[in-house]
Amino acid sequence: MLLTKKSTMNKPFLLSPSGKNYIWGGNRINEEFVKNLNIFPLAESWECSVHEAGLSFVASGEYKGMSLKAVLENHPDYLGQKHDQFPILIKLIDANKDLSIQVHPDDIFAKNENDNGKTEMWYILDADKESKIIYGFKEKYNEKEIRAAINNDSILEKLQSVEVKKNDVFFIEPGTVDAIGAGALIAEIQE
């Protein structure tokens, strides 16, 4: 389908997500948001994505059935004048179990792999009474201390565990140790 500037200007459209069935997921995304994704467990729904691992598709309007990636490739003016790509991924995350501890790269490091860095923002949609996240270290540690804690399996003692509740917001900068704990239902915006 050939896209023309006149036919697309200022016409919003809905997106349909792709889903991920990671072992730590649950069923709250389908139940509470009526996603109708035939996946269990449904750990994540990628609501707005141009990532090959989970494309969003246009669900209404002129481009219904096309991937968001294809629409943006054919119509780059949707991105504005300062951008040549769409580096944002918006997800719903249902952590039925604890997720793995992670550290994401910044833009400079990620360029080594022809990728973008990964900044995240978590909005807690809901959380069980005892839900927690890992959010950085308790204090400053040097490399030797961190390596020793990893090697002797005591790293969790050095990580900051934060109780979460509905409507909390967390900004996760690249290089921050993080993990989502069991019982958290999260909207995530990430690079």
Side-chain angles (χ1 to χ4, degrees):
M1 174 186 299
L2 180 61
L3 307 179
T4 63
K5 189 170 187 172
K6 183 179 178 184
S7 67
T8 60
M9 293 305 291
N10 300 317
K11 291 190 178 181
F13 47 79
L14 299 174
L15 296 173
S16 62
S18 63
K20 301 295 177 182
N21 66 339
Y22 305 131
I23 60 172
W24 46 262
N27 58 8
R28 293 182 72 183
I29 295 171
N30 268 332
E31 288 179 358
E32 296 180 31
F33 297 97
V34 194
K35 293 297 173 182
N36 297 316
L37 294 169
N38 191 22
I39 297 172
F40 186 82
L42 180 56
E44 297 181 353
S45 66
W46 291 18
E47 299 294 314
C48 182
S49 171
V50 296
H51 195 285
E52 290 296 332
L55 294 170
S56 295
F57 286 84
V58 178
S60 66
E62 187 174 351
Y63 308 119
K64 185 175 182 176
M66 291 180 68
S67 72
L68 177 59
K69 182 177 182 176
V71 171
L72 295 177
E73 285 173 348
N74 287 296
H75 209 353
D77 55 306
Y78 271 0
L79 296 174
Q81 295 177 357
K82 294 185 179 185
H83 301 283
D84 60 357
Q85 61 176 327
F86 187 72
I88 295 173
L89 173 58
I90 301 173
K91 301 178 180 180
L92 296 177
I93 299 173
D94 176 12
N96 192 44
K97 298 177 185 172
D98 291 340
L99 278 69
S100 61
I101 297 168
Q102 305 178 9
V103 179
H104 300 297
D106 60 16
D107 286 337
I108 294 168
F109 185 86
K111 286 193 188 312
N112 294 322
E113 297 189 18
N114 295 320
D115 205 349
N116 296 315
K118 188 174 177 186
T119 301
E120 300 176 337
M121 191 279 305
W122 297 344
Y123 176 73
I124 310 299
L125 297 167
D126 197 15
D128 292 347
K129 188 174 182 178
E130 297 180 14
S131 294
K132 298 178 180 174
I133 64 166
I134 299 294
Y135 189 72
F137 290 101
K138 289 180 180 176
E139 56 187 74
K140 282 193 166 198
Y141 299 102
N142 63 39
E143 183 179 343
K144 185 177 178 180
E145 292 170 310
I146 297 299
R147 287 187 183 278
I150 291 169
N151 290 333
N152 68 26
D153 208 20
S154 65
I155 190 68
L156 286 176
E157 296 169 15
K158 296 192 178 316
L159 299 177
Q160 180 173 240
S161 179
V162 178
E163 290 185 16
V164 296
K165 64 186 181 317
K166 184 176 182 171
N167 296 323
D168 284 347
V169 177
F170 296 89
F171 181 69
I172 315 293
E173 294 184 80
T176 304
V177 177
D178 66 78
I180 298 171
L185 182 64
I186 293 177
E188 177 182 88
I189 301 171
Q190 69 176 60
E191 288 184 284

